[in-house]
């Protein structure tokens, strides 16, 4: 009996050695994918750009693949919860994630994230990018980007700028401007874009880097003056407004959205998902939708998207450190 028992204990090792052990359930091949519903996690509540893009993508994938793609809103903690859920999901192609610029900014602002913003995921592609709009009160002396830079460098008055809150895109853009111009300036955080607009209209501070959609409405109404966009080139929807980089080379602040999956997504699945999403992002339909919302459609390879995010992380880490920004 002792001999039989010993042999039984060694049986699994013998089977493995002989290649006869029971195989694990094989990963689904790209040819059969998808065979069940796909979950698209968006780190935002219903409404807003992140949710809007997620629903556009879900509708397209549902139609293209004949399987339901369902948007799962996880809007809290500046996107951290949604990202953490994605990280813990199986890398089988049935969980996708819509990261946006806050995803890489969080890596600079939050000391102990429960994940690495790039390495714990499989980047698939970027979808859109959009700059911010530097706006001032119509009473401001600067009417052009060149005049604004000259004013910032030479004014003897204390400079202050507003934003939708600490760590927001407008806040970081203002800190980057200070850093590149070598000037001092006081940040005035508001509780959201609406109050920040009211503050600028009331002359409570000098300038703001605002999201394009809200900013253009105020500019077209004559309530604010648009000075420059923070994208690397002028926008087709506003060709008369220069890029800030025309007067301050290297100044660039981009809001972006993309698609990722959990880490270690098999390459055949990655290739299939990437090809389908990129074909949609390049479509006239999506390009028109993006431009109507103040963005440009962007498609990239998984590796290019990975490097883009790594560069974004480093850029904002340097700005956050230099400015001493702290998120409580």
């Amino acid at each position: 009996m002792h001999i039989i028992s010993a042999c039984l204990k060694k049986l699994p090792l013998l089977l493995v050695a002989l290649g006869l052990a029971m195989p694990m359930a094989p990963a689904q091949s790209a040819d059969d994918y998808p065979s069940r519903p796909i979950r698209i996690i968006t780190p935002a509540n219903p409404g807003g750009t992140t949710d809007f893009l997620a629903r556009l993508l879900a509708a397209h994938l549902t139609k293209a693949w004949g399987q339901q793609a369902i948007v799962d809103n996880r809007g809290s903690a500046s996107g951290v919860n949604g990202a953490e859920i994605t990280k813990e999901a199986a890398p089988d192609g049935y969980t996708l994630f819509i990261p946006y610029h806050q995803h890489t900014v969080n890596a600079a602002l939050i000391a102990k994230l429960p994940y690495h913003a790039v390495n714990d995921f499989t980047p698939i592609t970027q979808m859109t990018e959009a700059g911010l709009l530097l706006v001032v009160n119509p009473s401001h002396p600067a009417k052009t980007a060149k005049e604004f830079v000259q004013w910032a460098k030479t004014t003897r008055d204390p400079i202050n700028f507003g934003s939708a809150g600490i760590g927001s895109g407008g806040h970081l853009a203002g800190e980057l401007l200070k850093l590149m111009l070598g000037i001092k300036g006081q940040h005035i955080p508001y509780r959201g874009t609406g109050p920040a607009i009211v503050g600028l209209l009331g002359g409570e501070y000098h300038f703001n880097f605002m999201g394009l959609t809200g900013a253009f409405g105020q500019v077209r109404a004559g309530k604010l003056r648009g000075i420059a966009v923070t994208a690397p080139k002028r926008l087709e929807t506003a060709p008369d407004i220069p890029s800030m980089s025309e007067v301050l080379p290297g100044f660039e602040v981009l809001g972006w959205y993309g698609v990722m999956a959990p880490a270690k997504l098999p390459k055949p699945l990655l290739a299939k998902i990437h090809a389908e999403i990129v074909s949609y992002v390049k479509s006239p339909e999506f390009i028109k939708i993006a431009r109507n919302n103040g963005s440009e459609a962007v498609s990239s390879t998984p590796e290019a998207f990975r490097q883009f995010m790594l560069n974004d992380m480093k850029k904002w880490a340097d700005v956050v450190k230099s400015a001493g920004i702290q998120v409580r």
Side-chain angles (χ1 to χ4, degrees):
M1 291 295 294
H2 292 296
I3 295 175
I4 294 175
S5 177
C7 290
L8 288 174
K9 289 181 181 180
K10 294 180 179 180
L11 182 58
L13 296 175
L14 292 172
L15 291 174
V16 170
L18 294 172
L20 298 175
M22 292 295 291
M24 294 179 64
Q28 182 171 19
S29 71
D31 292 338
D32 298 331
Y33 172 87
S35 59
R36 54 187 171 87
I38 299 165
R39 176 174 62 158
I40 301 178
I41 295 176
T42 173
N45 293 318
T49 304
T50 316
D51 179 65
F52 176 64
L53 288 175
R55 293 184 187 282
L56 283 177
L57 181 60
H60 173 77
L61 294 182
T62 297
K63 182 178 179 180
W65 286 336
Q67 286 288 343
Q68 187 71 33
I70 302 167
V71 175
D72 183 1
N73 294 94
R74 299 285 179 159
S76 60
S78 298
V80 174
N81 289 350
E84 188 171 14
I85 292 170
T86 303
K87 175 200 169 187
E88 299 300 329
D92 54 11
Y94 290 97
T95 299
L96 301 178
F97 177 57
I98 307 292
Y100 66 108
H101 38 271
Q102 195 66 41
H103 184 72
T104 45
V105 169
N106 283 342
L109 291 174
I110 302 173
K112 294 183 179 180
L113 277 177
Y115 51 80
H116 186 281
V118 178
N119 296 340
D120 283 335
F121 302 88
T122 298
I124 296 175
T125 184
Q126 193 175 338
M127 290 183 72
T128 68
E129 68 179 21
L132 302 174
L133 182 63
L134 170 60
V135 290
V136 298
N137 188 289
S139 64
H140 194 284
K143 292 181 172 59
T144 67
K146 185 176 181 180
E147 290 177 356
F148 178 85
V149 169
Q150 185 65 21
W151 166 82
K153 287 182 175 180
T154 60
T155 183
R156 294 185 178 181
D157 296 329
I159 294 176
N160 46 50
F161 68 99
S163 81
I166 296 175
S168 65
H171 179 196
L172 295 178
E175 297 294 351
L176 179 62
L177 181 72
K178 286 168 51 182
L179 186 62
M180 293 185 68
L181 292 180
I183 62 174
K184 294 182 180 180
Q186 179 64 43
H187 172 234
I188 302 177
Y190 287 79
R191 292 189 176 183
T193 299
I197 291 175
V198 173
L200 186 55
L201 293 174
E204 296 175 5
Y205 59 92
H206 293 107
F207 65 91
N208 192 331
F209 287 94
M210 290 178 53
L212 294 176
T213 302
F216 276 138
Q218 298 294 328
V219 171
R220 292 184 182 118
K223 295 180 179 180
L224 295 177
R225 179 183 298 144
I227 297 293
V229 295
T230 63
K233 60 182 181 179
R234 299 189 183 206
L235 303 177
E236 291 189 18
T237 52
D240 56 322
I241 299 180
S243 166
M244 196 68 184
S245 63
E246 293 177 28
V247 295
L248 187 59
F251 186 90
E252 181 180 307
V253 179
L254 289 175
W256 56 267
Y257 294 84
V259 186
M260 297 199 299
K264 299 180 180 180
L265 181 70
K267 290 184 178 180
L269 286 178
L270 171 58
K272 183 170 185 176
I273 296 170
H274 176 267
E276 188 59 52
I277 295 176
V278 165
S279 71
Y280 177 54
V281 172
K282 289 182 176 179
S283 70
E285 173 194 358
F286 185 85
I287 291 172
K288 182 179 180 179
I289 291 172
R291 287 180 178 170
N292 286 343
N293 285 274
S295 302
E296 291 294 327
V298 178
S299 57
S300 54
T301 65
E303 185 52 41
F305 187 30
R306 172 184 294 277
Q307 192 58 52
F308 171 83
M309 288 189 288
L310 289 172
N311 293 342
D312 213 41
M313 286 172 60
K314 184 181 186 308
K315 174 180 180 176
W316 294 123
D318 291 343
V319 172
V320 167
K321 182 178 179 180
S322 174
I325 300 173
Q326 294 182 342
V327 177
R328 295 182 183 273

